[in-house]
Amino acid sequence: MSTARLEYNGQSWDFPVIEGTEKEHGIDISELRSKTGLITLDEGYGNTGSCQSAITYIDGDIGILRYRGYPIEQLAEHSTFVETAWLVIYGQLPTEKQRQRFSDLLTKYAMIHESMRNHFQGFPTNAPPMAILSAMINAIGCFTPEVLGSDNELNFEENAARLLSQVRSIAAATFKMNAGQPMMYPRPEYKYAENFLHMMFSVPNARITPDPEVARALNQFLILHADHEQNCSTSTVRMVASSGANMYASVSAGVSALWGPLHGGANVAVVEMLEDIRKSGMTPQVYMEKVKDKNSNLRLMGFGHRVYRNFDPRSRILQKAADIILTKLKINDPLLDIARHLEDVALSDSYFVDRKLYPNVDFYSGIILRAIGIPLNMFTVMFAIGRMPGWIANYKEIHDATRLKINRPRQIYTGELIRDYIPRDQRM
Ligand code: CMC
């Protein structure tokens, strides 16, 4: 085993270097503090491996993304979201029997508890859908106390299926509440994506027949979002799970983390940016000058990534998928032209080239969601539905660990030194 040597204050220590299956190397500093009294400082965790994980592999320098070893391009082309979810959670492509069993569980649990429907009435009709989603995922746990906290294999599968299935029912119910329409019950004859489209767009007196092309685009969108190793929300799920919290509580926290505009909320920010450019009549070049102006605080949303210093492979697939679905549905979306134009400008501009900023997953995904008919305020919820398998799989890695170890980082304290309490009447 190779080691890395640390020298400090005239002393030296050797630390093991861990090698991953793709020959990535990391210095194992788990004994750093006990041996040296030192800790590491890495704000934003850009250089810190928080765990060893067998789920997703990313090579950000060349733009590779694989779930359980399978290239994202092959899964997006040939798989379905449910099959990919099973793969991400359990590590193998399911056999026909395993797929059917999981599918049956998704159907069995598609309907949310009837009392949960009343919870929606407690929210203002314009409440942010991500707030509702996070709250409702925790609520699922309250309605299934018999499975909370229990850790046998069967309960895990039931919990995973219930969560994966009901997240889409909750999302559709949130949309209905927003739209002032009655909530629709799921239908057992539909597959995952079709059922979601039905619950979103059917009304009691006019049922839609889900369009297979739209369902395919939705499947692709969900597959591409299914996991992305230790991003902000997934790390949050693992952090919460490490305390022994149940799957629903852990994933609910992940939803909150995903909400922010630098993470899942970027898919909303991209469309808002494209709309602003369209409405103002500004050229993409002019917008770019504003982005590059350090005083403007503007970012080119949907560009850049902490891990990818090259094309995000998901953005290439989504760009193609956007073209296909818009053509099939005969939609001419001016935002797609603006997006393409911005990308062209960015890819030949030294500001973006030097900083290795390329389109990420959010740059084109909003165009697809618009074409499907998903309203802007539901975009990040769609990301959350897609990310569910990754969160569940990461929860499972923590849950299956032989010894539960709470995630508890250290800090470098920069506050006041010890001082005495000042009585209220003596304070300046
Ligand atoms: N537009 C303009 N400049 C940018 C952008 C951008 N989108 N992204 C990074 N930069 C600049 C940044 O100003 C900095 O410049 P300088 O070195 O002159 O100070 C340099 O590039 C490095 O930026 P950083 O913020 O240190 O990079 P990071 O790795 O911490 O941030 C990021 C990654 C995704 C938060 C950032 O690129 C960003 O804010 N992008 C826009 C938001 C976005 O699209 N987020 C979705 C991420 S993908 C989906 C997901 O996983 O959630």
Side-chain angles (χ1 to χ4, degrees):
M1 183 200 297
S2 56
T3 55
R5 175 156 297 177
L6 172 70
E7 289 184 12
Y8 176 70
N9 257 355
Q11 277 187 281
S12 70
W13 302 269
D14 288 332
F15 294 96
V17 173
I18 305 288
E19 186 177 88
T21 47
E22 289 282 353
K23 309 281 178 238
E24 293 169 297
H25 294 107
I27 305 167
D28 177 354
I29 54 152
S30 47
E31 292 189 354
L32 177 70
R33 190 167 164 277
S34 61
K35 282 185 170 167
T36 68
L38 297 167
I39 62 166
T40 55
L41 177 64
D42 182 21
E43 286 188 25
Y45 308 126
N47 308 282
T48 298
S50 62
C51 60
Q52 296 187 54
S53 174
I55 304 167
T56 288
Y57 173 67
I58 299 175
D59 185 331
D61 292 328
I62 42 180
I64 285 179
L65 170 60
R66 295 181 201 137
Y67 301 155
R68 302 286 189 179
Y70 292 100
I72 191 65
E73 293 80 6
Q74 292 183 22
L75 293 169
E77 182 62 29
H78 303 296
S79 188
T80 63
F81 178 57
V82 169
E83 183 183 68
T84 297
W86 208 92
L87 166 72
V88 169
I89 296 169
Y90 289 104
Q92 305 296 336
L93 285 168
T95 61
E96 185 45 29
K97 201 169 151 208
Q98 288 164 330
R99 196 202 54 76
Q100 191 55 55
R101 182 183 148 72
F102 196 53
S103 216
D104 291 346
L105 283 176
L106 292 174
T107 304
K108 174 176 165 192
Y109 289 124
M111 206 161 62
I112 55 177
H113 192 288
E114 198 61 13
S115 301
M116 264 180 76
R117 291 163 70 90
N118 300 328
H119 282 217
F120 284 92
Q121 266 107 58
F123 289 102
T125 46
N126 60 354
M130 286 295 274
I132 298 179
L133 187 66
S134 179
M136 285 300 192
I137 286 176
N138 246 324
I140 303 175
C142 305
F143 284 98
T144 49
E146 73 280 8
V147 288
L148 280 190
S150 54
D151 55 3
N152 65 52
E153 287 259 320
L154 193 65
N155 279 349
F156 173 83
E157 191 178 15
E158 300 256 330
N159 272 340
R162 194 188 310 256
L163 186 50
L164 193 65
S165 193
Q166 294 195 3
V167 69
R168 114 201 108 148
S169 312
I170 292 168
T174 304
F175 168 70
K176 288 298 193 194
M177 186 191 85
N178 247 231
Q181 293 176 4
M183 293 173 194
M184 297 299 295
Y185 287 108
R187 298 195 63 91
E189 70 271 27
Y190 288 144
K191 295 186 171 148
Y192 192 92
E194 281 88 347
N195 223 341
F196 175 70
L197 294 168
H198 154 70
M199 285 190 278
M200 285 285 287
F201 302 121
S202 286
V203 285
N205 59 350
R207 265 182 57 195
I208 62 146
T209 305
D211 180 331
E213 295 297 344
V214 173
R216 179 172 154 73
L218 183 55
N219 259 299
Q220 265 195 340
F221 170 92
L222 296 173
I223 290 169
L224 293 174
H225 286 79
D227 194 42
H228 212 239
E229 52 121 299
Q230 303 312 316
N231 54 80
C232 177
S233 55
T234 303
S235 302
T236 302
V237 170
R238 289 185 83 110
M239 173 71 86
V240 177
S242 78
S243 74
N246 67 66
M247 186 193 293
Y248 304 109
S250 306
V251 167
S252 155
V255 171
S256 299
L258 185 72
W259 192 353
L262 295 188
H263 192 8
N267 60 11
V268 175
V270 169
V271 168
E272 285 173 345
M273 172 187 79
L274 297 174
E275 276 289 13
D276 283 350
I277 296 174
R278 186 183 67 80
K279 283 190 195 135
S280 69
M282 193 188 311
T283 63
Q285 280 86 352
V286 171
Y287 188 79
M288 246 13 160
E289 290 311 313
K290 286 174 181 269
V291 166
K292 290 190 295 182
D293 176 0
K294 284 287 172 198
N295 299 318
S296 76
N297 261 339
L298 268 188
R299 286 201 163 192
L300 182 59
M301 299 311 284
F303 256 71
H305 199 278
R306 172 58 64 80
V307 179
Y308 294 115
R309 299 302 179 195
N310 202 323
F311 271 91
D312 176 340
R314 301 167 299 174
S315 77
R316 289 184 191 273
I317 302 170
L318 284 166
Q319 186 189 23
K320 248 194 236 156
D323 275 340
I324 293 171
I325 192 72
L326 261 57
T327 309
K328 290 218 164 108
L329 299 180
K330 300 189 175 52
I331 295 173
N332 181 15
D333 188 343
L335 299 196
L336 181 59
D337 295 335
I338 296 173
R340 280 207 201 97
H341 202 149
L342 279 172
E343 181 180 335
D344 287 346
V345 176
L347 294 182
S348 55
D349 187 308
S350 61
Y351 176 98
F352 291 89
V353 175
D354 294 350
R355 289 172 178 76
K356 300 191 171 148
L357 302 170
Y358 292 89
N360 62 46
V361 68
D362 294 314
F363 198 62
Y364 288 104
S365 65
I367 311 266
I368 297 177
L369 294 178
R370 271 161 67 93
I372 293 176
I374 309 289
L376 191 59
N377 70 348
M378 291 287 294
F379 279 17
T380 315
V381 168
M382 299 304 296
F383 190 149
I385 300 175
R387 185 53 53 86
M388 212 45 70
W391 288 336
I392 295 171
N394 276 275
Y395 170 85
K396 186 171 176 354
E397 276 193 345
I398 297 271
H399 175 269
D400 291 353
T402 38
R403 193 168 68 89
L404 194 62
K405 185 169 185 199
I406 193 162
N407 288 359
R408 200 323 188 163
R410 295 259 172 185
Q411 63 166 20
I412 300 288
Y413 175 67
T414 58
E416 299 285 351
L417 296 177
I418 187 168
R419 46 188 176 166
D420 287 324
Y421 179 79
I422 307 167
R424 212 176 288 172
D425 59 356
Q426 290 172 28
R427 290 177 211 160
M428 304 291 281

